[in-house]
Amino acid sequence: MGDQIMKEDQTGVDKSLLRGEEFSPREIVVELDKYIVGQKKAKRAVAVALRNRVRRLKLDPDMREDITPKNILMIGPTGVGKTEIARRLAKLVLSPFIKVEATKYTEVGYVGRDVESMIRDLAAVSFQMVKQEMQEKVKVEAEKRAEEALLDLLLPLPGRRARESKSKASSMVRPFSISNHGQPGIMGAAIQVGFPIVKQSPDNEDPAQGEAESPEAGEAGHESGVKDNATREKLRGMLREGKLEDRTVEISVNQTPQFPGMDVMTGLGEFGTGISELVNVLGGSQKNKVLSVKRAREVLINEEAEKLIDWDRAGDEARRRVEETGIVFIDEIDKIAVKGQRGGGPDVSREGVQRDILPIVEGATVNTKWGPVDTSHILFIAAGAFNISKPSDLIPELQGRFPLRVELDSLGEEDFLRILTEPKNALTKQYVALLSTEGIEVSFTPDAIKRLAALAADVNSRLENIGARRLHTIMETLLEEISFEAPDVAPAVISITPEYVDEKLAGVVKDQDLGKYIL
């Protein structure tokens, strides 16, 4: 089944690894512009880095191994789009992506997560992606099998049940069958010791066997089978028409054993991986559940799809995607930078973490549940505000592993205005859609949107600058009353005007002390 995923082009490279080929750097920037306002430098940097990965895969294997990705360090205040750029980039080309925070890791040997766990988490993300793709490819066959299983549960089948019961009864150890004369029959003795069955004369024939072999019984069984088939096809039609969705059936569901703290095991390296594999080998128990046909169909489709998947091939494919197209976004890297002199010994949560991150970024082999992963060609994007420390406060070796540095611009009033209107997922569009579900039709006048952008820029300049996140707090405060009363006043049409904005926000913005807590 994995062969359907891992097809190669003329260069001998797996097509699943060349998904970014269809986008030129310019087209990548255009796609990112749909969701992120401004930050042209950062968008161009990630677009070129992504295109270089595609170019590398098309080279000869000897040359390919010597070319490493040019990791990127994004420098800019919070809320300007650093994380969103990396997330949208990975989603665009369907690359395995994970966002981690550098402050959550500790140096090896201390309590906490080690940096290798980020690669194991990335491998898990990649495996889920491959699994979903494979499940989609076998969905049609899985649905057919699930339908047959549902029909087996729904159809009474009296003839079949009688034959199954008789078969079970004959397979049980029991005394010799009794003949018409009250003595053990030859047929019973043959079954007991495994001799070939010899047809008996009518005088010595076992009544039960005679009944089963009679022509009348055969004809009755044939008629029963025909009726069963007709009933089954009738049920199949009702099932496909959705007439049996509310009927309940009893199915056996696999129960995976849950051990407390198993997520901690993933941070124990090979030992934790071994424990996880042992749990998978042991498997879980079967538990009978009574479900509706609708829910049972979903469960059965998933089970049948998993039976059709080649799990070994899925693990190999997941590992290859991590090594060739994986993206790790390390946020808050400025928080582990050591400011000033490095005296008094290393800090296990700062400089110690930097030293542990270094070999992962340089290229190391990390053991995962699906096999060893080489990190040499994973793209690492680090980001930080660096408002207290500087990039030069990172250890020199780590600085050298992020050769591309991009400074992101702070957001002003014009940027906020564009953020509220231009992106596909603009905040104003989100709130209009949310309230429409309650029957409230909300509209924003252009002047009201300008007023919101001006207020956000003003608050950011006087209080802590949190970038575009300020818009979230302002929009929530602006629409709090409408959101609260929506179920009671619907249906209604509400227009957000500059006067409405001033009424809800002006007083709060003027009071700086109160604004610190609310905005």
PDB file of all heavy atoms in Angstrom, residues 117-142:
ATOM      1  N   SER A 117      13.841  14.946  22.372  1.00  0.00           N
ATOM      2  CA  SER A 117      12.411  14.657  22.319  1.00  0.00           C
ATOM      3  C   SER A 117      11.716  15.463  21.229  1.00  0.00           C
ATOM      4  O   SER A 117      10.656  15.062  20.733  1.00  0.00           O
ATOM      5  CB  SER A 117      11.762  14.933  23.678  1.00  0.00           C
ATOM      6  OG  SER A 117      11.856  16.304  24.020  1.00  0.00           O
ATOM      7  N   MET A 118      12.301  16.596  20.819  1.00  0.00           N
ATOM      8  CA  MET A 118      11.665  17.365  19.748  1.00  0.00           C
ATOM      9  C   MET A 118      11.706  16.586  18.429  1.00  0.00           C
ATOM     10  O   MET A 118      10.769  16.669  17.627  1.00  0.00           O
ATOM     11  CB  MET A 118      12.340  18.743  19.590  1.00  0.00           C
ATOM     12  CG  MET A 118      13.741  18.706  19.026  1.00  0.00           C
ATOM     13  SD  MET A 118      14.418  20.360  18.699  1.00  0.00           S
ATOM     14  CE  MET A 118      14.657  20.993  20.358  1.00  0.00           C
ATOM     15  N   ILE A 119      12.762  15.806  18.205  1.00  0.00           N
ATOM     16  CA  ILE A 119      12.850  15.000  16.993  1.00  0.00           C
ATOM     17  C   ILE A 119      11.891  13.816  17.080  1.00  0.00           C
ATOM     18  O   ILE A 119      11.258  13.439  16.083  1.00  0.00           O
ATOM     19  CB  ILE A 119      14.293  14.519  16.768  1.00  0.00           C
ATOM     20  CG1 ILE A 119      15.253  15.715  16.750  1.00  0.00           C
ATOM     21  CG2 ILE A 119      14.405  13.731  15.480  1.00  0.00           C
ATOM     22  CD1 ILE A 119      14.950  16.732  15.672  1.00  0.00           C
ATOM     23  N   ARG A 120      11.758  13.231  18.263  1.00  0.00           N
ATOM     24  CA  ARG A 120      10.794  12.139  18.412  1.00  0.00           C
ATOM     25  C   ARG A 120       9.366  12.632  18.201  1.00  0.00           C
ATOM     26  O   ARG A 120       8.540  11.939  17.603  1.00  0.00           O
ATOM     27  CB  ARG A 120      10.955  11.496  19.792  1.00  0.00           C
ATOM     28  CG  ARG A 120      12.222  10.647  19.925  1.00  0.00           C
ATOM     29  CD  ARG A 120      12.195   9.840  21.206  1.00  0.00           C
ATOM     30  NE  ARG A 120      12.473  10.656  22.369  1.00  0.00           N
ATOM     31  CZ  ARG A 120      13.697  10.874  22.858  1.00  0.00           C
ATOM     32  NH1 ARG A 120      14.740  10.320  22.270  1.00  0.00           N
ATOM     33  NH2 ARG A 120      13.878  11.623  23.924  1.00  0.00           N
ATOM     34  N   ASP A 121       9.079  13.832  18.689  1.00  0.00           N
ATOM     35  CA  ASP A 121       7.750  14.405  18.465  1.00  0.00           C
ATOM     36  C   ASP A 121       7.524  14.702  16.989  1.00  0.00           C
ATOM     37  O   ASP A 121       6.420  14.510  16.463  1.00  0.00           O
ATOM     38  CB  ASP A 121       7.580  15.691  19.285  1.00  0.00           C
ATOM     39  CG  ASP A 121       7.561  15.431  20.780  1.00  0.00           C
ATOM     40  OD1 ASP A 121       7.324  14.263  21.170  1.00  0.00           O
ATOM     41  OD2 ASP A 121       7.796  16.367  21.556  1.00  0.00           O
ATOM     42  N   LEU A 122       8.562  15.172  16.302  1.00  0.00           N
ATOM     43  CA  LEU A 122       8.453  15.440  14.872  1.00  0.00           C
ATOM     44  C   LEU A 122       8.208  14.150  14.101  1.00  0.00           C
ATOM     45  O   LEU A 122       7.412  14.125  13.149  1.00  0.00           O
ATOM     46  CB  LEU A 122       9.727  16.124  14.373  1.00  0.00           C
ATOM     47  CG  LEU A 122       9.752  16.539  12.899  1.00  0.00           C
ATOM     48  CD1 LEU A 122       8.683  17.592  12.630  1.00  0.00           C
ATOM     49  CD2 LEU A 122      11.127  17.057  12.503  1.00  0.00           C
ATOM     50  N   ALA A 123       8.873  13.075  14.507  1.00  0.00           N
ATOM     51  CA  ALA A 123       8.651  11.776  13.856  1.00  0.00           C
ATOM     52  C   ALA A 123       7.218  11.303  14.062  1.00  0.00           C
ATOM     53  O   ALA A 123       6.603  10.722  13.154  1.00  0.00           O
ATOM     54  CB  ALA A 123       9.639  10.744  14.397  1.00  0.00           C
ATOM     55  N   ALA A 124       6.662  11.550  15.236  1.00  0.00           N
ATOM     56  CA  ALA A 124       5.271  11.164  15.505  1.00  0.00           C
ATOM     57  C   ALA A 124       4.309  11.950  14.615  1.00  0.00           C
ATOM     58  O   ALA A 124       3.332  11.405  14.095  1.00  0.00           O
ATOM     59  CB  ALA A 124       4.934  11.389  16.981  1.00  0.00           C
ATOM     60  N   VAL A 125       4.585  13.246  14.416  1.00  0.00           N
ATOM     61  CA  VAL A 125       3.755  14.060  13.530  1.00  0.00           C
ATOM     62  C   VAL A 125       3.829  13.533  12.103  1.00  0.00           C
ATOM     63  O   VAL A 125       2.817  13.406  11.408  1.00  0.00           O
ATOM     64  CB  VAL A 125       4.206  15.537  13.583  1.00  0.00           C
ATOM     65  CG1 VAL A 125       3.513  16.352  12.499  1.00  0.00           C
ATOM     66  CG2 VAL A 125       3.914  16.135  14.951  1.00  0.00           C
ATOM     67  N   SER A 126       5.035  13.199  11.668  1.00  0.00           N
ATOM     68  CA  SER A 126       5.222  12.675  10.316  1.00  0.00           C
ATOM     69  C   SER A 126       4.489  11.351  10.133  1.00  0.00           C
ATOM     70  O   SER A 126       3.854  11.115   9.092  1.00  0.00           O
ATOM     71  CB  SER A 126       6.713  12.486  10.019  1.00  0.00           C
ATOM     72  OG  SER A 126       6.925  11.974   8.732  1.00  0.00           O
ATOM     73  N   PHE A 127       4.548  10.484  11.128  1.00  0.00           N
ATOM     74  CA  PHE A 127       3.875   9.192  11.034  1.00  0.00           C
ATOM     75  C   PHE A 127       2.367   9.369  10.918  1.00  0.00           C
ATOM     76  O   PHE A 127       1.705   8.657  10.150  1.00  0.00           O
ATOM     77  CB  PHE A 127       4.219   8.330  12.248  1.00  0.00           C
ATOM     78  CG  PHE A 127       3.578   6.965  12.208  1.00  0.00           C
ATOM     79  CD1 PHE A 127       4.104   5.957  11.425  1.00  0.00           C
ATOM     80  CD2 PHE A 127       2.449   6.695  12.965  1.00  0.00           C
ATOM     81  CE1 PHE A 127       3.516   4.707  11.380  1.00  0.00           C
ATOM     82  CE2 PHE A 127       1.853   5.450  12.923  1.00  0.00           C
ATOM     83  CZ  PHE A 127       2.395   4.450  12.129  1.00  0.00           C
ATOM     84  N   GLN A 128       1.812  10.300  11.661  1.00  0.00           N
ATOM     85  CA  GLN A 128       0.372  10.548  11.574  1.00  0.00           C
ATOM     86  C   GLN A 128      -0.017  11.054  10.190  1.00  0.00           C
ATOM     87  O   GLN A 128      -1.070  10.696   9.654  1.00  0.00           O
ATOM     88  CB  GLN A 128      -0.051  11.568  12.644  1.00  0.00           C
ATOM     89  CG  GLN A 128      -0.081  11.014  14.057  1.00  0.00           C
ATOM     90  CD  GLN A 128      -1.043   9.852  14.216  1.00  0.00           C
ATOM     91  OE1 GLN A 128      -2.148   9.862  13.678  1.00  0.00           O
ATOM     92  NE2 GLN A 128      -0.632   8.830  14.948  1.00  0.00           N
ATOM     93  N   MET A 129       0.836  11.875   9.593  1.00  0.00           N
ATOM     94  CA  MET A 129       0.562  12.370   8.248  1.00  0.00           C
ATOM     95  C   MET A 129       0.540  11.220   7.239  1.00  0.00           C
ATOM     96  O   MET A 129      -0.363  11.118   6.406  1.00  0.00           O
ATOM     97  CB  MET A 129       1.613  13.405   7.844  1.00  0.00           C
ATOM     98  CG  MET A 129       1.561  14.697   8.633  1.00  0.00           C
ATOM     99  SD  MET A 129       2.923  15.823   8.214  1.00  0.00           S
ATOM    100  CE  MET A 129       2.564  16.156   6.491  1.00  0.00           C
ATOM    101  N   VAL A 130       1.554  10.346   7.321  1.00  0.00           N
ATOM    102  CA  VAL A 130       1.636   9.208   6.404  1.00  0.00           C
ATOM    103  C   VAL A 130       0.455   8.268   6.637  1.00  0.00           C
ATOM    104  O   VAL A 130      -0.149   7.754   5.686  1.00  0.00           O
ATOM    105  CB  VAL A 130       2.972   8.469   6.576  1.00  0.00           C
ATOM    106  CG1 VAL A 130       2.999   7.193   5.736  1.00  0.00           C
ATOM    107  CG2 VAL A 130       4.136   9.366   6.193  1.00  0.00           C
ATOM    108  N   LYS A 131       0.123   8.050   7.888  1.00  0.00           N
ATOM    109  CA  LYS A 131      -0.990   7.162   8.216  1.00  0.00           C
ATOM    110  C   LYS A 131      -2.294   7.677   7.616  1.00  0.00           C
ATOM    111  O   LYS A 131      -3.076   6.908   7.034  1.00  0.00           O
ATOM    112  CB  LYS A 131      -1.125   7.048   9.738  1.00  0.00           C
ATOM    113  CG  LYS A 131      -2.306   6.206  10.199  1.00  0.00           C
ATOM    114  CD  LYS A 131      -2.410   6.209  11.712  1.00  0.00           C
ATOM    115  CE  LYS A 131      -3.674   5.488  12.172  1.00  0.00           C
ATOM    116  NZ  LYS A 131      -3.823   5.517  13.654  1.00  0.00           N
ATOM    117  N   GLN A 132      -2.550   8.977   7.723  1.00  0.00           N
ATOM    118  CA  GLN A 132      -3.773   9.547   7.176  1.00  0.00           C
ATOM    119  C   GLN A 132      -3.812   9.412   5.658  1.00  0.00           C
ATOM    120  O   GLN A 132      -4.866   9.128   5.074  1.00  0.00           O
ATOM    121  CB  GLN A 132      -3.890  11.015   7.581  1.00  0.00           C
ATOM    122  CG  GLN A 132      -4.185  11.208   9.062  1.00  0.00           C
ATOM    123  CD  GLN A 132      -4.210  12.669   9.466  1.00  0.00           C
ATOM    124  OE1 GLN A 132      -4.069  13.566   8.631  1.00  0.00           O
ATOM    125  NE2 GLN A 132      -4.381  12.934  10.748  1.00  0.00           N
ATOM    126  N   GLU A 133      -2.655   9.604   5.014  1.00  0.00           N
ATOM    127  CA  GLU A 133      -2.603   9.464   3.560  1.00  0.00           C
ATOM    128  C   GLU A 133      -2.899   8.027   3.141  1.00  0.00           C
ATOM    129  O   GLU A 133      -3.645   7.780   2.188  1.00  0.00           O
ATOM    130  CB  GLU A 133      -1.240   9.898   3.040  1.00  0.00           C
ATOM    131  CG  GLU A 133      -0.987  11.391   3.158  1.00  0.00           C
ATOM    132  CD  GLU A 133       0.400  11.762   2.680  1.00  0.00           C
ATOM    133  OE1 GLU A 133       1.022  10.944   1.971  1.00  0.00           O
ATOM    134  OE2 GLU A 133       0.869  12.864   3.004  1.00  0.00           O
ATOM    135  N   MET A 134      -2.299   7.073   3.847  1.00  0.00           N
ATOM    136  CA  MET A 134      -2.528   5.671   3.516  1.00  0.00           C
ATOM    137  C   MET A 134      -3.976   5.265   3.793  1.00  0.00           C
ATOM    138  O   MET A 134      -4.581   4.511   3.025  1.00  0.00           O
ATOM    139  CB  MET A 134      -1.565   4.784   4.312  1.00  0.00           C
ATOM    140  CG  MET A 134      -0.132   4.863   3.839  1.00  0.00           C
ATOM    141  SD  MET A 134       0.911   3.632   4.676  1.00  0.00           S
ATOM    142  CE  MET A 134       2.404   3.731   3.678  1.00  0.00           C
ATOM    143  N   GLN A 135      -4.540   5.764   4.887  1.00  0.00           N
ATOM    144  CA  GLN A 135      -5.938   5.462   5.192  1.00  0.00           C
ATOM    145  C   GLN A 135      -6.857   6.013   4.114  1.00  0.00           C
ATOM    146  O   GLN A 135      -7.860   5.388   3.759  1.00  0.00           O
ATOM    147  CB  GLN A 135      -6.324   6.038   6.554  1.00  0.00           C
ATOM    148  CG  GLN A 135      -5.779   5.253   7.741  1.00  0.00           C
ATOM    149  CD  GLN A 135      -6.185   5.864   9.057  1.00  0.00           C
ATOM    150  OE1 GLN A 135      -6.340   7.079   9.180  1.00  0.00           O
ATOM    151  NE2 GLN A 135      -6.346   5.036  10.067  1.00  0.00           N
ATOM    152  N   GLU A 136      -6.526   7.169   3.569  1.00  0.00           N
ATOM    153  CA  GLU A 136      -7.341   7.760   2.519  1.00  0.00           C
ATOM    154  C   GLU A 136      -7.298   6.915   1.253  1.00  0.00           C
ATOM    155  O   GLU A 136      -8.298   6.782   0.555  1.00  0.00           O
ATOM    156  CB  GLU A 136      -6.848   9.185   2.222  1.00  0.00           C
ATOM    157  CG  GLU A 136      -7.778   9.994   1.342  1.00  0.00           C
ATOM    158  CD  GLU A 136      -9.122  10.258   1.991  1.00  0.00           C
ATOM    159  OE1 GLU A 136      -9.189  10.321   3.238  1.00  0.00           O
ATOM    160  OE2 GLU A 136     -10.115  10.390   1.244  1.00  0.00           O
ATOM    161  N   LYS A 137      -6.142   6.321   0.978  1.00  0.00           N
ATOM    162  CA  LYS A 137      -5.995   5.518  -0.235  1.00  0.00           C
ATOM    163  C   LYS A 137      -6.727   4.174  -0.137  1.00  0.00           C
ATOM    164  O   LYS A 137      -7.106   3.599  -1.142  1.00  0.00           O
ATOM    165  CB  LYS A 137      -4.506   5.300  -0.536  1.00  0.00           C
ATOM    166  CG  LYS A 137      -3.794   6.569  -0.993  1.00  0.00           C
ATOM    167  CD  LYS A 137      -2.372   6.279  -1.365  1.00  0.00           C
ATOM    168  CE  LYS A 137      -1.685   7.550  -1.860  1.00  0.00           C
ATOM    169  NZ  LYS A 137      -2.286   8.070  -3.111  1.00  0.00           N
ATOM    170  N   VAL A 138      -6.888   3.657   1.073  1.00  0.00           N
ATOM    171  CA  VAL A 138      -7.582   2.371   1.238  1.00  0.00           C
ATOM    172  C   VAL A 138      -9.008   2.574   1.751  1.00  0.00           C
ATOM    173  O   VAL A 138      -9.657   1.605   2.149  1.00  0.00           O
ATOM    174  CB  VAL A 138      -6.798   1.449   2.206  1.00  0.00           C
ATOM    175  CG1 VAL A 138      -5.405   1.188   1.681  1.00  0.00           C
ATOM    176  CG2 VAL A 138      -6.745   2.046   3.609  1.00  0.00           C
ATOM    177  N   LYS A 139      -9.477   3.813   1.722  1.00  0.00           N
ATOM    178  CA  LYS A 139     -10.788   4.113   2.305  1.00  0.00           C
ATOM    179  C   LYS A 139     -11.912   3.362   1.619  1.00  0.00           C
ATOM    180  O   LYS A 139     -12.819   2.844   2.264  1.00  0.00           O
ATOM    181  CB  LYS A 139     -11.037   5.623   2.238  1.00  0.00           C
ATOM    182  CG  LYS A 139     -12.325   6.051   2.924  1.00  0.00           C
ATOM    183  CD  LYS A 139     -12.488   7.555   2.896  1.00  0.00           C
ATOM    184  CE  LYS A 139     -13.773   7.979   3.598  1.00  0.00           C
ATOM    185  NZ  LYS A 139     -13.951   9.461   3.562  1.00  0.00           N
ATOM    186  N   VAL A 140     -11.851   3.283   0.283  1.00  0.00           N
ATOM    187  CA  VAL A 140     -12.931   2.620  -0.452  1.00  0.00           C
ATOM    188  C   VAL A 140     -13.021   1.149  -0.062  1.00  0.00           C
ATOM    189  O   VAL A 140     -14.106   0.630   0.235  1.00  0.00           O
ATOM    190  CB  VAL A 140     -12.704   2.758  -1.973  1.00  0.00           C
ATOM    191  CG1 VAL A 140     -13.756   1.956  -2.737  1.00  0.00           C
ATOM    192  CG2 VAL A 140     -12.747   4.229  -2.380  1.00  0.00           C
ATOM    193  N   GLU A 141     -11.880   0.458  -0.038  1.00  0.00           N
ATOM    194  CA  GLU A 141     -11.878  -0.954   0.335  1.00  0.00           C
ATOM    195  C   GLU A 141     -12.289  -1.122   1.797  1.00  0.00           C
ATOM    196  O   GLU A 141     -13.017  -2.069   2.143  1.00  0.00           O
ATOM    197  CB  GLU A 141     -10.486  -1.544   0.116  1.00  0.00           C
ATOM    198  CG  GLU A 141     -10.341  -3.011   0.498  1.00  0.00           C
ATOM    199  CD  GLU A 141     -11.231  -3.930  -0.316  1.00  0.00           C
ATOM    200  OE1 GLU A 141     -11.588  -3.544  -1.453  1.00  0.00           O
ATOM    201  OE2 GLU A 141     -11.570  -5.013   0.175  1.00  0.00           O
ATOM    202  N   ALA A 142     -11.835  -0.212   2.668  1.00  0.00           N
ATOM    203  CA  ALA A 142     -12.206  -0.297   4.081  1.00  0.00           C
ATOM    204  C   ALA A 142     -13.707  -0.115   4.266  1.00  0.00           C
ATOM    205  O   ALA A 142     -14.326  -0.774   5.107  1.00  0.00           O
ATOM    206  CB  ALA A 142     -11.438   0.757   4.882  1.00  0.00           C
TER     207      ALA A 142
END
